[in-house]
Amino acid sequence: MSKFGLLSLLAVAALHGETGYDAWLRYAPLQGAALDQVRQAVPAVVAVLDQSPVAASARAELIRGLKGMLGRTLRAESALPGESAILVGTVDQIRRAAPRLLPDVRLGADAFWLKSAANGPLRYTIITASNDRGLLYGAFALLRTIAIGETIAGLDQRETPYAPVRWLNHWDNLNGTIERGYGGRSIFWDGGKVREDLSRVGDYGRLLASLGINGCSINNVNADLKILTPELAPQIARIADELRPWGVQVAISVDFGSPQRMGGLSTFDPLDPAVAEWWKARADDIYRAVPDLAGFVMKTDSEGRVGPSAYGRTHADAANAVARALKPHGGLLFYRGFVYDNHMDWRNLKNDRGRAAWDNFHSLDGKFDDNAIIQIKNGPIDFQVREPASPLFGALEKTNQVVELQITQEYFGQAKHNVFLVPYWKETLDFDMHAKGAAPTPVKALVAGKTFERTSGGFVGVSNVGLDDNWSGNQLSQANLYGFGRLAWNPDLSSKRIADEWTRLTFGLDPKVVDTISTMQLSTWRTYENYTGPLGLQTLTDIVGDHYSVNVEASERNGWGQWHRADETGAGMDRTVATGTGFIGQYRPEVAKVYESLESCPDDLLLFLHHVPYTYKLHSGKTVIQYIYDSHYEGADAVAGYARQWKALKDLVDERRYSEILTQLQYQAGQAIVWRDAVNTWFQKASKIDDAKGRVGHYPGRTEAESMTLQGYTVRPIAPAPEEDASGGKIVTCPAGATPCSATMQFDGPAGWYTVSVEYFDLATGVSQYRVFVGEQLIDEWSADLRLPSRRMDAGASTRRVMAGVALRRGDQIRIEGKPGGNEPAPLDYIEILPDKM
Ligand code: GCW
C-alpha cells in the first residue's frame, strides 16, 4: 500500500472510531460560533510564572487542550509577556510581576481563581492559586469551561475544594488482577511487581488531576504482605514519580498483622513497644523511597483480615500505633470502618450486620490521633443498590472521617449494566444526620470535617480503572469516575450538572446527544433499582457467588448478614428499636423518629428497616407485592427504552463508541428481563399472590425450549441454580460432540413483522454456535462468546439474542440450531415472538 493510502486509511479510522482512552479530556475541535467566540478570547501566549513540575503540567495541558479545540498552538513563556496572555502563577508570583493585576487575596490549599484582567490594551486570562496544584486545577477548569461551550469572557471564578481528602483506593492485587475490577488488569501491578511500562499511570494521573483528585492508594485493602518488603519500595517510588507531576500523592494499603506475619516479630499487638517500633521503621523505609507518600490504608477485623481483637485491643489502639509511625512524615492513616462479623447466626432475628460500624466505633470517638481517619462506607451494609446513610457519620464528633464510595460497580451490574452513580451518592452526601443542633448537618459536611471542625476529612472512591482501552470496562462507566471526582471537589454540584458536563466533554455539544445521554444517565439508578432490589431489599444478587447474577435467596440462611428476610409471610428486616435489631436507634433522635415509624419511613427504605406483609400498603396505596412486580416491569422497559433512544444517536456519535454502547445497552435490556422474571417468579411463589396485571408467569409470545420439537436436545432442570433462573425452571442442552441439536416450533400468529428473541446461556466454559431458520432460510447466527461475570449456568449467564423485523406468517417453522463448543452445551431457555415495536 502507498504511504498516502495508509495515511488516508488512518484518517478514516480516526473519524470512525474513538477508543474512549481520552475519556473526558478529548479536546475535540470546536465548531461554528463557539469556535469563533473562543478564538477571539484566547491570546497567543501562555505564560507560566511557576517553575514547579505540576505547573509545567498545567502549561502542557493548556497548550494541548487549546490546540485540540481551537487548532492553535500557543507560545509558551515563563515571564510576564508584553502582550495579551494566559497568565499562570501563584498570587505572590503574579503580584511580584505586575502588582496591579491582582489584589492580595488569600486562597486556600488547592483552590484556584480564574480572572480576566486588563493592563492598558493588554488582556490577561489569569489562573492563580496559592499552590501549584491549584494552578493545575485552574488550568483544567479553564479548559473544561471552553470544552462544554461556556464563555470565558469576563471570567471571575473562584473555587475552593470542599474537603482536603479527595482520594481513590485501588483494589489492585500485586499479581495484576483487581478485586471487583471490571476494567481489565491493573495499570500498576503485574506478576508480583510494579509493571515495567507505567505509561498508563501518567495518563491516569492526568485524568485524576482534571477532577482535583489528590491521593491514590495503589493496592488492595486486602493487602499483600509483600507491599512492605524493601524490594517494593523503589518500585512504588516509580509509580509516585508518574503521578507527582499531576499533584496526585501515592498511598499504600497494609496488613495489620505485618509485624508478625512478615516482620519476624512474635506479635502484632499494637500496644507492644516492639510492634510500634516496627511500624515506625517500616514507615521510615518507605518514606525514604517516597518522601511525599500520602499514607496507609488499613482493613482490620473484617472478612478474614486480622485486627486488634486478636489481643483484646481497640480499633483506636490499632489505628494510633500505625498513625504514630506516619506522623513524623506527615502521613495519614485511613482506618476502615468496614468491620463486621461474617459468621453471624442468621436464626437470631436480633443479629444485624448493619449495626456493626456504629457498634465498633462510636464509643471510641475522641480516642483516635489526628492523622488517623475512619473511612466509612456510604451505607451500613455494603454498597447495595439502596441503603440509608451509615449512622456512624453522625456519631463521630472528635474523630476525623471520610466517606468511602464505590466507583467500581460491584453490586451495580459490574460495568455490564449502565448505572450512573452520582444521584445515588448524592442521596447519602446530602442526607441530614441531625448531628448538631438545628442547622443541617449533611453527611458531606460531616465527612469534610466542617460540622465539628475536624483537622481532616473528605471523600474516598474505590476506582473502576484498569488496562482496558476505555479504562473502565465500558464507555459509560467513565461517568462514574468523573462524577466521583466532581463531587469530591464540590458535592453541591447537581447530578444534572455533572451528567451534562461529562456528556459534553465525552460526546460533544450536539443538543440531541447531550439531552439523550444525560437524561438516560440521570434515570439509570432508579431503573437498576427497579429491576434488581426495590423498596430497600438491597441488590438481590448472588452474594455468596459473583455479586452479579440475580439470586433472591442467596443472601439468606448464611452468616454474611445481607439478609432481607423475605419469606412466605412478608419481606424486610425489622431494624426498629421497638421490635427489631435496634439499628434505627443508632441514628440521632430526629432521624430515628422518621425511620422507626411505618407512617413516616420512606417507601424506598421500607424493607431495609421494617418487616411487613406483602399486602402492606405503601404511601402510594400500592401493596408491597404489587410494587415489586410493577417496578420490575418498569425497570426492564426503561432499559429497552435506553437501547431505542441510543439508536437515534447513530451518526451523531463516532461509530466505534456508538456500536459498543448499543451492544451494551441491548445486552443489559436482556438481563433486565432475566432479573424481572426471576425476582417476580420468586416473590409470586413465596407470597402466593398473583400480579394484579396478570403479567408474572404469563409471557405473551413465549415458547419454552422444553416444549418445542427437539432433535438431539435433552430437557433438564436449570438446577443447581434456582428454579427461577430459567423460564419455566427448565432448559434444553445439547450433548458434547453431537451434530447440531435443534428445537423447532410452528408459528401460528397472523402474517406480519415480528421481533424474534432467543434466550440462551453464555458460559465461560465454551463457545457454542446458534443458528435460527424460518423454514429453510437462515435468518441469524451467532457465537456465544461474551465474557460474562457469571461462573456457572445461572441467570447471570442467561443472554438474549434479538432479531427485529422478521417477516412471519401462520404455519412458518422456526428452528433454532445449537452446536456445543468446549464445555458449553448450546443451552436454550425459550424463544419469544412479538409483533415489532414501531
Ligand atoms: O464489598 C466487599 C467486597 C470485597 C471487598 C470488601 C471491602 C476488598 O465484596 O471484595 O474487599 O467489600 O470493602 O473490604
Side-chain angles (χ1 to χ4, degrees), residues 601-628:
C601 180
D603 287 348
D604 281 336
L605 286 171
L606 177 70
L607 304 181
F608 195 92
L609 299 169
H610 294 267
H611 185 85
V612 297
Y614 290 112
T615 49
Y616 178 82
K617 285 220 170 82
L618 302 168
H619 293 114
S620 64
K622 206 179 256 190
T623 61
V624 164
I625 189 69
Q626 194 57 38
Y627 187 93
I628 292 174

Side-chain angles (χ1 to χ4, degrees), residues 171 179-180 220-222 299 302-303 336 338 377 382-383 404 406 410-411 547:
W171 289 354
E179 184 157 349
R180 314 301 176 192
N220 194 347
V221 290
N222 291 325
K299 170 175 176 179
S302 170
E303 299 181 337
R336 294 182 86 234
F338 187 62
K377 290 191 182 187
D382 192 6
F383 305 134
E404 177 179 309
Q406 196 187 39
E410 176 178 2
Y411 286 97
H547 297 193

Side-chain angles (χ1 to χ4, degrees), residues 473-492:
N474 77 70
Q475 305 290 350
L476 296 171
S477 288
Q478 290 181 354
N480 289 326
L481 181 57
Y482 183 86
F484 169 80
R486 295 295 283 144
L487 283 181
W489 179 266
N490 178 6
D492 296 332

Side-chain angles (χ1 to χ4, degrees), residues 325-348:
L326 298 171
K327 177 83 179 176
H329 307 282
L332 299 173
L333 189 259
F334 288 73
Y335 195 92
R336 294 182 86 234
F338 187 62
V339 175
Y340 74 101
D341 169 15
N342 63 346
H343 298 287
M344 248 182 318
D345 183 2
W346 55 271
R347 293 171 207 85
N348 182 345

Side-chain angles (χ1 to χ4, degrees), residues 133-411:
R133 263 191 198 139
L135 298 178
L136 181 58
Y137 298 158
F140 276 113
L142 180 69
L143 290 167
R144 178 167 53 233
T145 306
I146 296 172
I148 63 178
E150 289 178 353
T151 177
I152 58 163
L155 274 180
D156 186 6
Q157 183 184 342
R158 234 161 115 161
E159 292 193 27
T160 303
Y162 192 86
V165 175
R166 306 179 301 277
W167 278 36
L168 293 177
N169 280 183
H170 276 252
W171 289 354
D172 297 19
N173 298 312
L174 307 199
N175 66 9
T177 59
I178 303 182
E179 184 157 349
R180 314 301 176 192
Y182 314 105
R185 290 173 62 81
S186 172
I187 61 171
F188 300 121
W189 303 97
D190 196 22
K193 299 202 291 267
V194 168
R195 292 170 52 83
E196 284 308 315
D197 175 9
L198 289 180
S199 47
R200 285 288 289 259
V201 175
D203 291 345
Y204 185 46
R206 177 173 164 257
L207 290 176
L208 302 191
S210 75
L211 304 170
I213 289 171
N214 58 1
C216 180
S217 82
I218 55 173
N219 64 307
N220 194 347
V221 290
N222 291 325
D224 194 316
L225 293 165
K226 278 212 306 267
I227 193 75
L228 285 175
T229 52
E231 302 82 79
L232 280 188
Q235 300 183 29
I236 296 168
R238 285 180 51 229
I239 296 178
D241 291 345
E242 293 291 331
L243 293 176
R244 192 172 293 112
W246 300 104
V248 180
Q249 286 172 264
V250 159
I252 55 173
S253 295
V254 297
D255 183 291
F256 183 62
S258 301
Q260 183 191 59
R261 297 174 70 207
M262 55 95 47
L265 301 191
S266 59
T267 174
F268 58 91
D269 180 350
L271 296 191
D272 187 312
V275 169
E277 264 315 299
W278 188 89
W279 280 112
K280 203 174 151 344
R282 290 298 76 70
D284 293 349
D285 288 347
I286 180 99
Y287 273 94
R288 255 190 298 280
V290 187
D292 58 351
L293 190 88
F296 290 172
V297 184
M298 205 158 71
K299 170 175 176 179
T300 63
D301 279 328
S302 170
E303 299 181 337
R305 313 305 299 179
V306 298
S309 67
Y311 300 95
R313 309 299 187 201
T314 71
H315 293 296
D317 296 333
N320 294 342
V322 181
R324 281 169 200 164
L326 298 171
K327 177 83 179 176
H329 307 282
L332 299 173
L333 189 259
F334 288 73
Y335 195 92
R336 294 182 86 234
F338 187 62
V339 175
Y340 74 101
D341 169 15
N342 63 346
H343 298 287
M344 248 182 318
D345 183 2
W346 55 271
R347 293 171 207 85
N348 182 345
L349 296 182
K350 298 285 177 191
N351 278 348
D352 185 358
R353 169 172 163 186
R355 293 188 55 112
W358 190 92
D359 281 347
N360 277 297
F361 289 93
H362 88 280
S363 62
L364 297 174
D365 188 25
K367 303 245 156 55
F368 291 86
D369 285 7
D370 261 4
N371 67 324
I373 302 184
I374 312 299
Q375 181 167 321
I376 307 168
K377 290 191 182 187
N378 56 294
I381 298 288
D382 192 6
F383 305 134
Q384 298 300 293
V385 67
R386 188 182 291 269
E387 295 186 43
S390 171
L392 188 55
F393 294 123
L396 300 178
E397 301 185 9
K398 298 181 289 262
T399 305
N400 293 329
Q401 50 172 317
V402 289
V403 60
E404 177 179 309
L405 303 170
Q406 196 187 39
I407 304 166
T408 191
Q409 293 167 234
E410 176 178 2
Y411 286 97

